[in-house]
């Protein structure tokens, strides 16, 4: 705990109450972390978050407006994505996962490093507008992470891994899905249904693949896990931002 983190935590307690961020503080004590065996690769596991790998996209009142907004605009989102893929390929880049960099996994970012990527407003205006109005302006997006179009080229595979923590949750809008694609989370395999969303806790081990003959694209949005509270989110942003600064990643 640095003085910066201690001061931030003290301010949050003063505002929301002495018990408001107890779970965040418990997370920092490794001995108290209770985790599912398939979360073993996650860096941070905050106690009290449901140990549920797959979630009903419509089952959380906080998140369902984002799901409905994305699904209702799927046709426009897909058309704009196809245009961008053909005419603006320079807007896409190799995806830089914290484990590796993959040339067969292409990304077009809409939100990154705590802010909207304004250039994407011209490239994919419908997705940008929905994201801004329903996830960013409402503070449902986790500002520590991102939103991007995730395109797996034919033959690409994402190796089994756990992401860094359990206090955010990953929403996938299936934008363009060929045959031969799938995703496994905590041992359960599902397929994307074009125009529909999947929602899962990516602190559980997961993998994905495209064994089809054309690219597979989903729009990925990193949202706050609905089991977290407003003061906890403030504390987590302060904590992770300070850690990244100390590591030279800010």
């Amino acid at each position: 705990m640095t003085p910066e983190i201690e001061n931030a935590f003290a301010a949050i307690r003063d505002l929301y109450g002495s018990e408001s961020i107890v779970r965040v503080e418990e997370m920092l004590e490794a001995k108290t972390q209770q985790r599912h065996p398939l979360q073993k690769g996650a860096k941070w596991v905050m106690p009290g978050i449901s140990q549920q790998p797959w979630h009903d996209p419509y089952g959380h009142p906080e998140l369902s407006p984002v799901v409905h907004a994305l699904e209702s605009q799927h046709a426009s989102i897909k058309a704009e994505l196809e245009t961008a893929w053909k005419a603006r390929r320079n807007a896409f880049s190799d995806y830089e996962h914290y484990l590796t960099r993959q040339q067969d996994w292409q990304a077009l970012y809409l939100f990154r490093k705590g802010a909207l990527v304004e250039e994407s407003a011209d490239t994919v205006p419908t997705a940008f507008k929905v994201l801004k109005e329903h996830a960013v302006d409402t503070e449902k997006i986790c500002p520590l992470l991102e939103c991007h179009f995730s395109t797996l080229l034919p033959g690409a595979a994402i190796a089994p891994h756990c992401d860094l923590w359990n206090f955010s949750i990953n929403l996938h809008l299936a934008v363009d899905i060929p045959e031969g694609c799938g995703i496994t989370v905590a041992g359960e395999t599902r397929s994307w249904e074009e125009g529909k969303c999947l929602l899962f806790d990516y602190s559980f081990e997961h993998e994905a693949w495209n064994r089809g003959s054309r690219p597979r694209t989903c729009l990925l949005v990193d949202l706050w896990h609905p089991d977290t509270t407003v003061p906890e989110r403030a504390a987590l942003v302060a904590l992770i931002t300070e850690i990244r600064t100390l590591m030279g990643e800010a």
Side-chain angles (χ1 to χ4, degrees), residues 141-217:
I141 198 166
C142 178
L144 298 166
L145 295 171
E146 59 197 31
C147 169
H148 66 278
F149 282 99
S150 171
T151 299
L152 288 183
L153 301 183
I158 302 170
H161 67 285
C162 298
D163 281 324
L164 291 172
W165 54 60
N166 71 333
F167 47 79
S168 62
I169 196 165
N170 200 212
L171 180 70
H172 285 202
L173 171 68
V175 179
D176 188 4
I177 312 297
E179 294 290 330
C181 296
I183 179 170
T184 297
V185 180
E188 181 180 342
T189 299
R190 298 190 182 184
S191 298
W192 293 276
E193 180 183 349
E194 194 164 302
K196 298 296 183 181
C197 288
L198 291 178
L199 183 68
F200 65 96
D201 180 341
Y202 46 6
S203 66
F204 287 86
E205 185 176 87
H206 57 284
E207 61 181 305
W209 58 88
N210 178 2
R211 298 172 188 146
S213 59
R214 59 184 176 84
R216 180 241 65 177
T217 299

Side-chain angles (χ1 to χ4, degrees), residues 14 22 30 57 73 75 82 101 114 118 127 133-134 137 149 157 193 195 211 234:
D14 287 344
V22 167
Q73 295 298 317
E82 289 175 343
R101 181 187 183 106
E118 296 294 340
E133 293 180 356
H134 294 274
D137 291 350
F149 282 99
E193 180 183 349
R211 298 172 188 146

Side-chain angles (χ1 to χ4, degrees), residues 42 80 109 112 237:
E80 292 167 3
Y109 291 92
R112 199 179 193 192
V237 168

